[in-house]
């Protein structure tokens, strides 16, 4: 009844979800010492340096001149806008609520993919997405220590979600041309170029920040910044943008779990219940219509 999952795709999605989930509580820690702009700049600089070393070792070629404007734009949307907006949003809303809002990314992505690429999510995909979104809403609203009041932080994080969705959808042609590794390198470097606008004062901020906040920002620069995007690019190239992001609802589940272990934020009973609802949503989203028809035919043949 369930789709036949490719093990490599499943592993890639798990790594992607786990590392992105860890970013939400990590940002809250980094914000105790750094401004939203400096967090984004520092993590992208770190990521870019690591990728530059990889590029030199692997002798990665530069992109075609005609593709540079589009790559710069996608890097700006997928990294500069997304990260700065998310950091600003988490100044006024909790990590859990932020993860809920970012979980709207699959909805934006599916709509964009359907409109521009004529992808088909299917009835069960939409139903599963709706159930999954209800699950993360249950988690964030019930498990958050803050009121889910509509404020500027929510609007800003929704902008981050939309910006990231555009990046996910329109990266496809460049994934096909350059491959996941090369294109993600180009996009992160592009995002870093725009972030250099906020370089004034970064040195003083590093000197004044606590070691804990700096180490957390270093972690953000290497793990959530680089690896998940490689994983997502890999999955998108094989399954399509809508399906590749359909499991991102699980990010909120892991975000609350990591915050519980790392920051001591004990989730409420509603968070556990919401997690179960989310898992049910993912289960529903992965039901294939063809399998249901075949099962009905087999059941009728037995009668």
């Amino acid at each position: 009844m369930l789709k036949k999952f490719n093990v490599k795709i499943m592993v890639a999605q798990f790594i992607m979800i786990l590392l992105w989930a860890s970013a939400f509580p990590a940002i809250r820690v980094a914000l105790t010492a750094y401004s939203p702009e400096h967090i984004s700049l520092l993590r992208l600089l770190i990521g870019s340096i690591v990728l530059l070393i990889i590029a030199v070792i692997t002798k990665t070629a530069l992109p075609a001149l005609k593709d540079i404007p589009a790559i710069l734009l996608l890097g700006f949307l997928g990294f500069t806008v997304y990260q700065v907006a998310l950091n600003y949003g988490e100044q006024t809303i909790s990590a859990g609520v932020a993860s809920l809002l970012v979980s709207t990314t699959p909805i934006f992505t599916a709509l964009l993919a359907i409109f521009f690429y004529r992808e088909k999510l299917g009835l069960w995909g939409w139903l599963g997405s709706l159930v999954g979104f209800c699950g993360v809403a249950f988690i964030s609203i019930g498990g958050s220590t803050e009121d889910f009041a509509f404020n500027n932080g929510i609007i800003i994080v929704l902008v981050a979600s939309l910006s990231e969705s555009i990046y996910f959808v329109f990266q496809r042609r460049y994934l096909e041309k350059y491959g996941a590794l090369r294109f993600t390198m180009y996009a992160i470097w592009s995002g870093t170029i725009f972030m250099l606008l906020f370089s004034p004062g970064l040195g003083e901020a590093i000197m004044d920040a606590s070691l804990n906040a700096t180490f957390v920002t270093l972690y953000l620069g290497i793990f959530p910044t680089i690896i998940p995007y490689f994983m997502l690019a890999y999955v998108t190239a094989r399954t399509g943008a809508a399906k590749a992001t359909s499991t991102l609802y699980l990010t909120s589940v892991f975000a609350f779990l990591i915050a519980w272990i790392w920051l001591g934020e004990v989730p409420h009973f509603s968070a556990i219940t919401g997690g179960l609802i989310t898992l049910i949503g993912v289960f529903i989203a992965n039901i294939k219509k063809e399998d249901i028809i075949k099962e009905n035919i087999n059941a009728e043949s037995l009668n």
Side-chain angles (χ1 to χ4, degrees):
M1 186 173 179
L2 289 180
K3 291 180 179 179
K4 293 181 179 178
F5 287 109
N6 182 297
V7 174
K8 291 182 180 180
I9 291 178
M10 289 182 65
V11 171
Q13 287 181 315
F14 177 77
I15 293 173
M16 172 179 69
I17 292 168
L18 185 64
L19 292 181
W20 261 331
S22 70
F24 293 99
I27 289 172
R28 294 286 284 183
V29 174
L31 281 170
T32 61
Y34 290 98
S35 68
E37 301 95 335
H38 283 159
I39 293 173
S40 297
L41 172 59
L42 187 55
R43 66 183 288 190
L44 285 178
L45 280 175
I46 295 166
S48 292
I49 292 172
V50 172
L51 291 176
L52 182 60
I53 295 173
I54 295 174
V56 172
I57 294 174
T58 59
K59 299 181 180 179
T60 301
L62 294 175
L65 187 61
K66 65 178 182 179
D67 293 333
I68 290 179
I71 292 173
L72 285 171
L73 178 59
L74 290 174
F76 173 72
L77 292 171
F79 292 90
T80 308
V81 175
Y82 171 75
Q83 291 194 15
V84 173
L86 178 60
N87 293 346
Y88 266 104
E90 287 205 41
Q91 286 186 314
T92 57
I93 60 176
S94 68
V97 171
S99 68
L100 161 67
L101 297 172
V102 171
S103 290
T104 60
T105 296
I107 296 176
F108 289 131
T109 302
L111 292 174
L112 290 170
I114 289 170
F115 184 79
F116 288 100
Y117 290 107
R118 299 184 183 279
E119 288 190 13
K120 294 181 179 180
L121 189 58
L123 175 62
W124 289 103
W126 284 109
L127 180 60
S129 297
L130 178 61
V131 173
F133 186 80
C134 290
V136 293
F138 206 88
I139 292 171
S140 296
I141 296 174
S144 177
T145 57
E146 301 176 14
D147 293 333
F148 192 71
F150 200 81
N151 57 38
N152 291 335
I154 291 175
I155 298 174
I156 293 172
V157 175
L158 284 174
V159 169
S161 179
L162 177 59
S163 178
E164 187 179 44
S165 300
I166 297 172
Y167 168 80
F168 288 159
V169 171
F170 292 100
Q171 68 176 341
R172 175 186 292 184
R173 61 177 296 188
Y174 302 102
L175 290 177
E176 295 173 351
K177 183 174 183 178
Y178 296 109
L181 180 61
R182 286 178 64 190
F183 173 71
T184 305
M185 285 181 174
Y186 301 153
I188 291 178
W189 289 333
S190 297
T192 304
I193 291 173
F194 290 104
M195 283 304 308
L196 292 176
L197 176 67
F198 302 111
S199 57
L202 178 61
E204 291 84 350
I206 294 174
M207 295 296 295
D208 295 336
S210 64
L211 285 177
N212 182 49
T214 300
F215 282 134
V216 167
T217 308
L218 289 173
Y219 167 81
L220 285 169
I222 297 174
F223 292 94
T225 300
I226 299 176
I227 299 176
Y229 283 94
F230 285 166
M231 299 296 101
L232 183 62
Y234 172 83
V235 177
T236 300
R238 287 158 178 77
T239 66
K243 292 181 181 178
T245 57
S246 64
T247 58
L248 291 183
Y249 290 120
L250 291 172
T251 301
S252 289
V253 178
F254 283 95
F256 272 94
L257 180 61
I258 294 171
W260 183 10
I261 297 172
W262 185 3
L263 305 178
E265 297 178 356
V266 180
H268 296 182
F269 174 76
S270 57
I272 299 175
T273 304
L276 294 175
I277 296 174
T278 302
L279 291 175
I280 293 172
V282 173
F283 177 87
I284 294 174
N286 285 287
I287 294 177
K288 292 180 70 174
K289 182 178 179 181
E290 295 82 358
D291 291 339
I292 296 173
I293 295 174
K294 288 179 181 179
E295 286 190 3
N296 291 335
I297 293 174
N298 292 335
E300 290 177 359
S301 65
L302 292 175
N303 293 334

